[in-house]
């Protein structure tokens, strides 16, 4: 039995070594590809359910690594954060997305906004709002056409730089959306302290609401807060007609999901808008 244990232990050790090796290789490749601007952005349309119009798009970072293939942002964003490279990655996304803005937004009948994800660490650096304004001016994107998506952890950070920058962005007319709302710390007091424009309902709630009364209750609670505070709501992960119907029943009017469109590269987004604006 002891030999078996040793054998199992050696196996486990091998696996750990493999995991560490993969991680190290990913770090090196990510560092290289960020510097070489080899990442891409996919844009997912945000839809107003009632008017069937595009109200915005969310920029989602994509990485195809030459060694390991397509790596999910769920994996590489935390790596970039750990390596202290999220500022560089985030700045690249911001710049590229603003550069792309005119190419798709000009095709829309009514103005839409560009929604960009930001990590907590980007706010700790004092220069986030300066950088954003710089990119905005360079590519001539007005503030009301920008939304920044932050998670609850940003608002619970209590860093003076964070508070100041969020206020600055709002004063400039930029929207602030809380991403993954309800999945985090559920301390609602920050909603009083920060001028929030929108709450995003995480896809986990949308996908389980039909079968799980708790998830439905959470969606209803989010709607109650949103109505009281006069902020808009965007649902994530709308995949089916049934989910769409449920959301509309719960007075959720906007959302994104595979039911309408997957995240699309710019050329595909342009095609999607052309088709969508036809009917
Ligand atoms: P998120 O901000 O919550 O983004 C929504 C995720 O849901 C995206 O995953 C999107 O592709 C996916 N999604 C959209 N519609 C559906 C649907 O109908 N069904 C399902 N199953 N999924 C759907 P993605 O692109 O893999 O991104 C994962 C996370 O990575 C994002 O979650 C965000 O937290 C982070 N991320 C992505 N790009 C960036 C970025 O540029 N900067 C930062 N800081 N984070 C990013
Ligand atoms: Ca998001
Ligand atoms: Ca997220
Ligand atoms: Ca989410």
């Amino acid at each position: 039995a002891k030999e078996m244990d040793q054998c199992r232990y050696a196996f486990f050790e091998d696996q750990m070594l493999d995991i560490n090796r993969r991680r190290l290789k990913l770090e090196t490749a990510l560092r290289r590809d960020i510097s070489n601007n080899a990442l891409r952005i996919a844009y997912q349309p945000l839809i107003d359910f009632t008017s069937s119009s595009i109200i915005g798009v969310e920029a989602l970072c994509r990485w195809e690594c030459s060694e390991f293939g397509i790596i999910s942002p769920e994996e590489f964003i935390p790596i970039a954060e750990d390596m202290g490279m999220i500022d560089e990655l985030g700045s690249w996304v911001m710049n590229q997305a603003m550069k792309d803005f005119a190419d798709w937004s000009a095709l829309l009948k009514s103005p839409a906004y560009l929604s960009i994800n930001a990590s907590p660490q980007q706010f700790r650096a004092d220069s986030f709002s300066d950088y954003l304004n710089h990119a905005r001016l360079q590519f001539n994107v007005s503030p009301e056409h920008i939304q920044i998506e932050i998670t609850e952890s940003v608002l619970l950070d209590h860093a003076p730089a964070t508070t100041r920058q969020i206020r600055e962005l709002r004063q400039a007319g930029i929207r602030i959306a809380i991403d993954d709302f309800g999945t985090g710390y559920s301390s609602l007091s920050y909603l009083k302290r920060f001028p929030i424009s929108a709450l995003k309902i995480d896809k986990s709630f949308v996908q389980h609401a039909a079968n799980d009364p708790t998830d439905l209750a959470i969606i209803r609670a989010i709607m109650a807060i949103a109505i009281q505070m006069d902020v808009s709501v965007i649902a994530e992960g709308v995949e089916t007609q049934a989910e769409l119907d449920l959301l509309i029943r719960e007075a959720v009017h906007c959302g994104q999901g595979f039911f309408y469109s997957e995240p699309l590269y710019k050329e595909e987004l342009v095609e999607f808008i052309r088709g969508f604006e036809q009917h």
Side-chain angles (χ1 to χ4, degrees), residues 15-277:
Q15 270 190 330
M16 287 307 291
L17 271 176
D18 282 349
I19 291 168
N20 286 334
R21 235 178 261 135
R22 175 184 156 90
R23 166 78 189 217
L24 279 174
K25 283 190 180 155
L26 279 179
E27 285 181 3
T28 312
L30 184 59
R31 197 183 294 281
R32 179 199 62 213
D33 286 352
I34 291 174
S35 315
N36 293 344
N37 294 339
L39 274 58
R40 299 188 72 184
I41 301 178
Y43 298 97
Q44 187 172 40
L46 312 178
I47 309 290
D48 179 318
F49 302 148
T50 31
S51 64
S52 261
S53 56
I54 298 168
I55 56 162
V57 308
E58 178 177 4
L60 292 157
C61 196
R62 293 289 176 263
W63 182 34
E64 193 170 343
C65 167
S66 49
E67 291 99 316
F68 294 98
I70 293 168
I71 311 288
S72 159
E74 310 264 14
E75 186 173 8
F76 73 77
I77 294 289
I79 296 179
E81 289 173 342
D82 289 352
M83 290 197 306
M85 293 206 69
I86 195 66
D87 276 343
E88 200 180 328
L89 188 153
S91 302
W92 178 81
V93 169
M94 206 187 287
N95 229 49
Q96 187 60 44
M98 300 241 193
K99 198 177 184 176
D100 288 347
F101 180 78
D103 293 340
W104 60 263
S105 63
L107 302 169
L108 290 167
K109 293 192 200 89
S110 36
Y113 58 83
L114 166 67
S115 201
I116 299 174
N117 293 284
S119 291
Q121 285 167 45
Q122 289 176 268
F123 278 93
R124 269 173 230 149
D126 218 10
S127 48
F128 182 84
S129 53
D130 292 344
Y131 193 90
L132 194 153
N133 285 326
H134 185 265
R136 217 169 52 58
L137 292 170
Q138 187 182 351
F139 297 107
N140 202 18
V141 185
S142 50
E144 67 270 23
H145 291 151
I146 296 174
Q147 173 168 278
I148 300 297
E149 301 192 6
I150 57 179
T151 52
E152 293 170 291
S153 59
V154 174
L155 302 178
L156 293 168
D157 211 16
H158 295 298
T162 306
T163 314
R164 190 179 56 69
Q165 290 182 96
I166 289 171
R167 295 232 161 86
E168 264 174 37
L169 295 177
R170 276 304 286 150
Q171 267 153 25
I174 288 165
R175 287 162 214 265
I176 304 286
I178 304 185
D179 217 350
D180 304 337
F181 187 72
T183 61
Y185 304 82
S186 46
S187 153
L188 297 175
S189 61
Y190 63 73
L191 290 177
K192 248 173 56 180
R193 288 187 290 120
F194 292 100
I196 298 306
S197 343
L199 305 177
K200 293 195 76 173
I201 303 178
D202 189 63
K203 57 176 177 284
S204 59
F205 301 126
V206 172
Q207 278 157 11
H208 301 127
N211 303 313
D212 189 332
T214 314
D215 289 289
L216 182 59
I218 290 171
I219 291 180
R220 288 181 174 157
I222 293 173
M223 286 312 290
I225 293 167
I227 290 164
Q228 281 297 312
M229 303 204 41
D230 197 23
V231 300
S232 48
V233 169
I234 304 157
E236 230 181 54
V238 188
E239 290 183 357
T240 64
Q241 180 74 55
E243 286 164 358
L244 178 62
D245 293 343
L246 183 145
L247 289 168
I248 292 171
R249 261 200 319 276
E250 298 303 326
V252 181
H253 295 306
C254 297
Q256 63 196 101
F258 300 163
F259 181 73
Y260 289 102
S261 171
E262 287 176 25
L264 305 167
Y265 289 130
K266 191 184 81 180
E267 300 71 29
E268 304 165 323
L269 176 68
V270 163
E271 287 310 304
F272 177 84
I273 291 174
R274 289 216 169 96
F276 202 81
E277 293 277 289

